[in-house]
Amino acid sequence: MPKRVLIGTVTSDKTDKTVTVKVERRVKHPLYGKIIKRSKKYHAHDETNQYNEGDTVRIEETKPISKTKTWQVIDLVVASKGTAVSADLEVAEATPGGAE
């Protein structure tokens, strides 16, 4: 039986060797027919602690690693945009009361 592979976003990387991945799926409402989002969070094994919050990753089902961990991170799909960037900005002085 093949292993399931899902794609989701890392919502937490605070625990050691574990990331929490939120996987969203779109389903059709049975009565109204509107497309709605359903999401579920999975705990995935991250041996090297290399994935950060906001990263989009691919996870694969494995044998149980702990009580709640049965998934393992395979690879990074898209890196997060939450990286800190230092900016060197110069601001011109504004004169109060109008331009002179």
Side-chain angles (χ1 to χ4, degrees), residues 18-84:
T18 304
V19 291
T20 304
V21 180
K22 181 180 180 182
V23 176
E24 286 189 344
R25 60 189 178 92
R26 297 164 59 109
V27 296
K28 189 174 184 180
H29 190 278
L31 178 62
Y32 300 115
K34 182 178 178 178
I35 303 297
I36 53 177
K37 288 183 184 178
R38 296 288 182 206
S39 63
K40 189 170 179 181
K41 290 183 180 179
Y42 297 96
H43 293 287
H45 186 65
D46 174 18
E47 183 66 36
T48 58
N49 290 323
Q50 67 181 7
Y51 302 104
N52 298 319
E53 196 169 325
D55 291 346
T56 302
V57 295
R58 185 176 289 122
I59 59 174
E60 178 183 49
E61 193 174 28
T62 62
K63 65 180 184 177
I65 299 167
S66 70
K67 181 181 176 182
T68 58
K69 266 198 300 189
T70 57
W71 294 83
Q72 177 178 332
V73 180
I74 302 172
D75 61 348
L76 180 69
V77 178
V78 177
S80 68
K81 297 180 182 176
T83 57

